[in-house]
Amino acid sequence: MPKKILLVDDEPDLVDMVKIRLEASDYEVITAYDGQEGLDKARKSSPDLIILDLMLPKMDGYKVCGLLKADTRYNKIPIIMFT
């Protein structure tokens, strides 16, 4: 079973490029295009890694990261800040 990565960024071209590269390395990639969607998908899918942009619509990456790290169900998921 491939490792699951959640990629959260509001630039579709960048998301597509990174997704293609990660999938070529046999990762399952879930995408989100704003902070709220990223938070919802993180909670729903419990990815192995989150790649998170800082400047996002609806909720910024700092807030998403803080909410996930404050929750014991999700605080062990590594997050790479991507900006």
Side-chain angles (χ1 to χ4, degrees):
M1 174 176 266
K3 296 284 186 179
K4 212 178 333 182
I5 297 175
L6 172 60
L7 174 58
V8 187
D9 197 296
D10 61 335
E11 295 183 37
D13 291 341
L14 182 63
V15 169
D16 290 343
M17 179 184 65
V18 174
K19 181 178 179 182
I20 289 167
R21 297 293 302 186
L22 291 170
E23 287 177 339
S25 296
D26 295 323
Y27 292 101
E28 176 185 345
V29 180
I30 302 160
T31 58
Y33 297 92
D34 65 61
Q36 185 62 58
E37 181 186 14
L39 181 62
D40 294 343
K41 287 188 175 182
R43 289 174 171 162
K44 182 179 178 185
S45 64
S46 291
D48 298 293
L49 172 70
I50 299 171
I51 300 174
L52 180 62
D53 187 19
L54 293 179
M55 296 296 145
L56 293 166
K58 298 188 182 176
M59 181 185 306
D60 68 31
Y62 294 109
K63 181 74 172 174
V64 174
C65 183
L67 289 169
L68 291 170
K69 292 302 178 181
D71 190 325
T72 57
R73 294 172 292 178
Y74 310 106
N75 66 3
K76 300 286 190 244
I77 301 171
I79 297 175
I80 296 174
M81 300 308 257
F82 188 58
T83 190

